[in-house]
């Protein structure tokens, strides 16, 4: 089983990916995590990626696909692609990569969420600088310590109001055409994301049981 998990920023893709990974014994690939890990490694490739990102540019598709292909080759588990593809060109490249590896995309799941709820969720999001836990803080509630490890909480640069607005603009411009691309394949399913995480997960599991 190989899944593409889609949704706008704040839709809960990371939360659901973690649950799906444990339930179906899949490998979760977050492109953001892949890039951050490569940069943190200090490798020549990581330095190249850091230079690209620092200039405000996107990592070239061929470079991203090459990194993902190496990860997929190294596991016999099914995959959850989280944060990729974000454009039709990337979707086409992903299909070509999977074909080379004699795999295919089983299901494309869109977690659909109203834009107003997206803004509310991201505005309340904090990350622990020590253990990496992501938490949602009730507006007006002072919170600067992680309840998991006691580390300092911070607002990620991408979660500021200005960056959220920009991310949503990019999402609507680049990512929604991917929805049309996958709808044609017959593997696309939408899930109502404006529910509790538990109910969203239940709905996703019901979809996957039908295509497993």
């Amino acid at each position: 089983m190989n899944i593409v998990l889609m949704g706008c920023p704040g839709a809960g893709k990371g939360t659901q990916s973690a649950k799906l990974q444990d339930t179906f014994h899949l490998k979760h690939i977050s492109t953001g995590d892949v890039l951050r890990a490569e940069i943190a490694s200090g490798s020549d490739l990581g330095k190249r990626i850091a230079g690209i990102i620092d200039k405000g540019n996107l990592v070239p598709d061929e470079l991203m696909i090459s990194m993902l292909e190496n990860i997929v080759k190294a596991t016999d588990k099914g995959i959850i692609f989280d944060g990729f593809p974000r454009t039709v060109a990337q979707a086409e490249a992903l299909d070509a990569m999977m074909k080379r590896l004699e795999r295919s995309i089983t299901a494309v799941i869109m977690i659909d969420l109203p834009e107003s709820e997206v803004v509310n969720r991201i505005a309340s999001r904090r990350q622990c600088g020590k253990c990496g836990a992501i938490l949602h803080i009730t507006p007006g509630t002072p919170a600067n310590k992680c309840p998991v490890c006691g580390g300092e909480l911070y607002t990620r640069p991408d979660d500021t109001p200005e960056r959220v607005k920009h991310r949503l603009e990019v999402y609507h411009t680049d990512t929604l055409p991917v929805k049309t691309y996958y709808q044609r394949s017959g593997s696309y399913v939408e899930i109502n994301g404006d529910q509790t995480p538990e109910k969203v997960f239940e709905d996703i599991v019901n979809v996957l049981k039908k295509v497993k």
Side-chain angles (χ1 to χ4, degrees):
M1 182 186 299
N2 300 293
I3 305 164
V4 170
L5 197 59
M6 297 180 63
C8 56
K13 298 185 295 295
T15 297
Q16 298 304 327
S17 292
K19 290 174 176 288
L20 291 168
Q21 178 176 245
D22 292 340
T23 301
F24 291 99
H25 308 292
L26 304 173
K27 182 171 182 59
H28 174 211
I29 300 178
S30 164
T31 50
D33 290 346
V34 169
L35 293 174
R36 283 188 287 271
E38 194 64 48
I39 292 171
S41 74
S43 68
D44 289 341
L45 176 58
K47 292 174 183 176
R48 179 184 171 193
I49 292 170
I52 292 170
I53 294 175
D54 288 346
K55 292 177 182 177
N57 297 322
L58 296 175
V59 175
D61 289 352
E62 62 272 17
L63 180 56
M64 196 72 243
I65 281 288
S66 176
M67 295 174 68
L68 293 178
E69 186 162 348
N70 288 336
I71 295 172
V72 175
K73 280 180 179 177
T75 182
D76 57 1
K77 291 183 177 181
I79 305 294
I80 304 170
F81 292 100
D82 169 10
F84 192 91
R86 295 190 178 186
T87 66
V88 171
Q90 289 179 355
E92 292 171 341
L94 178 61
D95 281 347
M97 181 198 86
M98 296 296 278
K99 186 175 182 179
R100 285 195 300 274
L101 300 178
E102 299 182 340
R103 297 196 185 204
S104 62
I105 300 299
T106 309
V108 179
I109 298 174
M110 167 71 83
I111 303 176
D112 190 41
L113 194 65
E115 195 164 305
S116 59
E117 180 60 21
V118 171
V119 175
N120 289 337
R121 287 189 184 186
I122 294 180
S124 71
R125 189 159 64 185
R126 302 290 184 274
Q127 185 160 15
C128 175
K130 184 177 180 181
C131 72
I134 295 176
L135 308 166
H136 288 273
I137 307 302
T138 302
T141 302
N144 51 25
K145 293 290 184 181
C146 174
V148 178
C149 71
E152 295 289 334
L153 298 180
Y154 69 98
T155 299
R156 298 190 301 186
D158 274 357
D159 291 348
T160 61
E162 296 78 14
R163 291 299 295 270
V164 171
K165 181 180 179 182
H166 176 67
R167 289 168 69 192
L168 286 172
E169 288 172 353
V170 170
Y171 174 76
H172 288 300
T173 301
D174 294 341
T175 307
L176 286 182
V178 179
K179 168 182 172 178
T180 302
Y181 174 86
Y182 281 123
Q183 281 176 322
R184 297 193 191 105
S185 73
S187 58
Y188 177 89
V189 179
E190 281 191 8
I191 298 294
N192 177 15
D194 197 12
Q195 312 178 85
T196 64
E198 292 75 20
K199 186 62 173 70
V200 172
F201 181 66
E202 180 184 331
D203 288 351
I204 293 175
V205 168
N206 287 337
V207 167
L208 295 178
K209 283 180 177 178
K210 294 175 183 177
V211 299
K212 189 175 179 182

